[in-house]
Amino acid sequence: MAMDDDDELEDDSTVIGANPDSLGTLHKDRAYLIVIAGTQVGEMIPLRATTIIGRGVDADVRLVEDKMSRRHCRLLVEDGVTYLEDLGSSNGTYVNGTRIARQKLNDGDKIQVGETTILKFTYNDSLEETFQKQMYDSALRDGLTKIFNKKYFQDRVRTEFAFSARHKTALSLILFDIDHFKQVNDTRGHLAGDRALVVLAQHVLDLVRTEDVLARYGGEEFVVLCRETSAQNAGVLAERIRASVEQLPIVFNGERIPITISMGVAMIPDRELADVDAFVNAADAALYEAKRSGRNRVVVHRSAT
């Protein structure tokens, strides 16, 4: 998705509004798409006056789908009414199972784009919005760092891998962890270790693109999944992250906690990496080599062929 679910709309006037019901008792003032099937199930996507859906880099809502056009469809508001328009997509846009060219949307309509993605169009009030976000976060977010969790990463990497393999586009994976993290917990306590994990996660989140996936892989280990990124560019990003983390001011109980990270990078297309497991293992092997060769460094997987 081109929009991250943590992005906040600073100006409510730019959000599509809904009229009260016939009794004038409901005031659902925010319009959303909610992903109910496909990648990122449960995500809420706030709509603006015009919202383009597709797999291209210029789409407002970017989805990874084999049968998705670069500019697949758009939602727009005219005189307070929301319409969905197909943008000449190859495989069509459907509302409640019927292929459409242009369709007025009603609360609860189901929109199918691509092969597996189904979006629900709905208006929510502030209570519903908060509840939906809590449900989404609890399922897909790490409880400590608030970035994506391992399950979310595992779902996304399989979808992204299949898409990249089929379309011959680059996909890079950066796997990294904190050097000597056990010493932080042993000498400063687990609360200090937790503080280091939280600050590190938020710092890296600020350095990656919106369309990249940052997730906690387990313990002190993290992953960054970079769409349409070569191994060279992923290596540059990894080095930027590594160098900045070395200077990161992590403070707990008035004392700075210095940390460094080791990083492994892998990329497809690569004839050696025929499936997702091989892809992840290649990044893991590169991370191991970074550890073995002295830590606090980046190693990029190189194919033997």
Side-chain angles (χ1 to χ4, degrees):
M1 301 284 183
M3 290 184 178
D4 189 272
D5 54 277
D6 282 338
D7 289 346
E8 294 292 335
L9 295 173
E10 298 179 355
D11 181 3
D12 286 349
S13 65
T14 64
V15 183
I16 300 171
N19 294 323
D21 65 1
S22 59
L23 297 178
T25 57
L26 297 179
H27 297 278
K28 298 188 175 186
D29 56 358
R30 291 176 179 265
Y32 292 87
L33 295 177
I34 299 178
V35 183
I36 61 174
T39 304
Q40 296 172 243
V41 169
E43 181 173 353
M44 296 179 66
I45 304 165
L47 300 180
R48 295 181 181 272
T50 300
T51 304
I52 295 175
I53 299 173
R55 63 178 177 85
V57 294
D58 60 340
D60 300 309
V61 179
R62 195 178 184 197
L63 301 171
V64 181
E65 275 274 9
D66 283 339
K67 295 185 177 180
M68 177 78 63
S69 297
R70 292 186 178 277
R71 290 168 59 91
H72 196 97
C73 61
R74 68 176 177 177
L75 294 100
L76 68 158
V77 178
E78 296 178 356
D79 298 325
V81 178
T82 303
Y83 293 90
L84 176 67
E85 291 184 349
D86 184 78
L87 296 177
S89 65
S90 299
N91 294 287
T93 301
Y94 295 80
V95 175
N96 301 327
T98 301
R99 185 166 182 167
I100 60 97
R102 178 182 168 94
Q103 174 81 34
K104 174 185 173 182
L105 292 178
N106 297 309
D107 194 352
D109 280 347
K110 310 299 191 302
I111 303 166
Q112 181 173 345
V113 287
E115 188 171 26
T116 62
T117 299
I118 299 177
L119 310 167
K120 179 182 177 181
F121 174 75
T122 186
Y123 294 105
N124 284 336
D125 59 28
S126 58
L127 289 177
E128 291 169 325
E129 177 185 354
T130 299
F131 175 76
Q132 185 72 30
K133 189 175 187 305
Q134 288 174 344
M135 293 292 290
Y136 178 74
D137 286 349
S138 65
L140 301 178
R141 297 274 177 182
D142 174 59
L144 176 65
T145 63
K146 307 308 179 186
I147 62 175
F148 289 119
N149 59 24
K150 184 175 182 179
K151 180 184 182 305
Y152 177 87
F153 164 74
Q154 290 174 323
D155 291 341
R156 279 296 295 273
V157 72
R158 295 188 185 282
T159 301
E160 298 277 2
F161 187 96
F163 181 88
S164 294
R166 189 167 288 110
H167 293 275
K168 308 301 182 187
T169 57
L171 179 68
S172 288
L173 177 63
I174 303 171
L175 187 62
F176 66 95
D177 71 6
I178 301 175
D179 298 324
H180 302 299
F181 184 66
K182 185 175 184 297
Q183 292 182 10
V184 176
N185 284 329
D186 290 347
T187 61
R188 298 173 183 267
H190 287 278
L191 291 179
D194 286 350
R195 175 65 178 167
L197 293 171
V198 170
V199 174
L200 172 62
Q202 292 305 308
H203 175 71
V204 176
L205 189 62
D206 289 338
L207 296 178
V208 301
R209 303 171 303 177
T210 301
E211 62 264 34
D212 296 333
V213 175
L214 170 65
R216 186 179 180 190
Y217 197 63
E220 71 274 22
E221 199 166 25
F222 298 83
V223 289
V224 183
L225 189 62
C226 304
R227 184 189 294 174
E228 296 181 11
T229 303
S230 67
Q232 179 180 356
N233 288 338
V236 170
L237 172 61
E239 176 57 28
R240 180 186 175 199
I241 294 171
R242 184 208 63 78
S244 65
V245 167
E246 195 172 16
Q247 306 300 320
L248 191 61
I250 303 173
V251 178
F252 183 77
N253 284 344
E255 295 184 357
R256 182 176 181 267
I257 306 173
I259 64 169
T260 61
I261 58 176
S262 298
M263 314 185 79
V265 180
M267 188 204 82
I268 61 168
D270 184 324
R271 283 181 291 179
E272 288 186 351
L273 309 181
D275 56 36
V276 170
D277 289 342
F279 184 42
V280 175
N281 287 340
D284 190 46
L287 170 58
Y288 176 81
E289 177 59 25
K291 293 282 193 184
R292 191 193 66 79
S293 57
R295 294 183 169 84
N296 191 23
R297 64 194 61 208
V298 176
V299 172
V300 180
H301 168 77
R302 304 295 181 188
S303 175
T305 58

